[in-house]
């Protein structure tokens, strides 16, 4: 079973902390997903995996996820990486006129128990007529037959929250076959802004961190395809409401 949670954010810190296992395994966590522009997982069959995706906020096409020659990125890859505790890379995507920076760092005192990841974004060209507004997704999943993840931090007073504003989103989970209990925190800055050209009554405030989750069986490797299906359904519903 692969439990998949898909998360939307614009600019954020991500903290992952494992409560029980892997205390002495300094190499357990790492960027061990070389086919992705960015991804983190543990070195065991049953573990927590994660990955980065993005696309144009106005038109959800050309989703970036796996390293593809057809994406025609100017550059991507690690500028610094010691293979153990930290890594830093820049991704230049001229089609979306955006430059992303990803930073990976393990817990300085307990590298086997946790890691930190940060995503930053900026325009490649400020004067370009091509939009730099993008939607960025960071997803989490559990491999193995058993496991669960639950969203803990939500907007008070709403039964079905769609986003959390200027705060910390916490996901707690358990993978009894592998890492045991764990927590993941998403922290966003107050500087996040919703793109002007899609603000209004129809669309939600995209300065918030939005989140969703679903079970996908053993199809976690189809993260991009699953996102495309979700986006297609969402946009069709938006069009019907207009």
């Amino acid at each position: 079973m692969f439990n998949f949670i898909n998360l939307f954010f614009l600019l954020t810190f991500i903290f992952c902390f494992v409560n029980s296992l892997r205390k002495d395994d300094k190499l357990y966590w790492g960027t061990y997903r070389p086919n992705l522009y960015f991804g983190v997982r543990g070195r065991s069959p049953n573990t927590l995996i994660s990955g980065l995706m993005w696309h144009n906020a106005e038109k959800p096409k050309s989703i970036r996820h796996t390293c593809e020659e057809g994406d025609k990125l100017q550059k991507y890859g690690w500028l610094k990486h010691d293979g153990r505790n930290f890594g830093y890379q820049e991704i230049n995507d001229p089609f979306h006129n955006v430059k992303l920076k990803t930073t990976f760092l393990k817990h300085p005192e307990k590298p086997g128990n946790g890691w930190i990841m940060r995503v930053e974004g900026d325009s490649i060209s400020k004067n370009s007529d091509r939009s730099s507004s993008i939607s960025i997704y960071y997803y989490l999943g559990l491999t193995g037959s058993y496991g669960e993840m639950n969203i803990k931090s939500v907007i008070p007073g709403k039964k079905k929250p769609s986003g959390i504003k200027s705060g910390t989103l916490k996901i707690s989970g358990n993978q009894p076959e592998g890492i045991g209990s764990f927590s993941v925190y998403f922290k966003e800055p107050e500087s996040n802004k919703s793109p002007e050209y899609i603000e209004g009554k129809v669309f939600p405030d995209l300065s918030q961190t939005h989140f969703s989750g679903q079970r996908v069986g053993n199809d976690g490797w189809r993260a991009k395809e699953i996102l495309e299906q979700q986006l297609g359904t969402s946009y069709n519903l938006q069009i019907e409401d207009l």
Side-chain angles (χ1 to χ4, degrees), residues 62-210:
S62 302
I63 298 174
R64 310 306 198 207
H65 180 226
T66 55
C67 301
E68 304 288 347
E69 184 177 357
D71 291 345
K72 298 181 179 180
L73 302 190
Q74 287 181 339
K75 71 173 182 178
Y76 68 91
W78 299 104
L79 300 179
K80 297 180 181 180
H81 203 308
D82 68 351
R84 300 177 63 90
N85 298 310
F86 77 93
Y88 169 80
Q89 75 165 327
E90 290 185 359
I91 304 172
N92 283 14
D93 186 349
F95 179 83
H96 294 109
N97 190 33
V98 68
K99 176 171 64 177
L100 298 178
K101 300 177 182 179
T102 67
T103 304
F104 170 76
L105 179 67
K106 290 184 183 178
H107 192 291
E109 297 179 358
K110 300 179 181 179
N113 278 70
W115 49 268
I116 300 170
M117 179 269 198
R118 176 173 177 158
V119 179
E120 302 173 81
D122 198 2
S123 299
I124 294 177
S125 173
K126 303 293 185 181
N127 300 320
S128 174
D129 57 356
R130 189 178 294 274
S131 171
S132 298
S133 296
I134 61 172
S135 297
I136 301 182
Y137 302 78
Y138 201 79
Y139 64 87
L140 305 172
L142 290 175
T143 58
S145 301
Y146 304 98
E148 63 177 355
M149 288 188 286
N150 299 291
I151 296 172
K152 295 294 185 179
S153 301
V154 297
I155 299 176
K158 290 187 177 183
K159 295 182 179 180
K160 296 181 179 181
S162 60
I164 182 167
K165 177 68 174 177
S166 300
T168 299
L169 174 67
K170 178 183 178 181
I171 295 177
S172 296
N174 186 47
Q175 169 46 283
E177 297 176 320
I179 62 175
S181 59
F182 63 89
S183 298
V184 182
Y185 302 86
F186 287 73
K187 177 66 177 179
E188 66 177 39
E190 296 182 359
S191 59
N192 276 356
K193 295 181 180 180
S194 184
E196 294 181 358
Y197 56 82
I198 53 176
E199 283 185 344
K201 297 182 180 180
V202 175
F203 296 96
D205 180 5
L206 297 184
S207 66
Q208 297 179 344
T209 296
H210 294 256

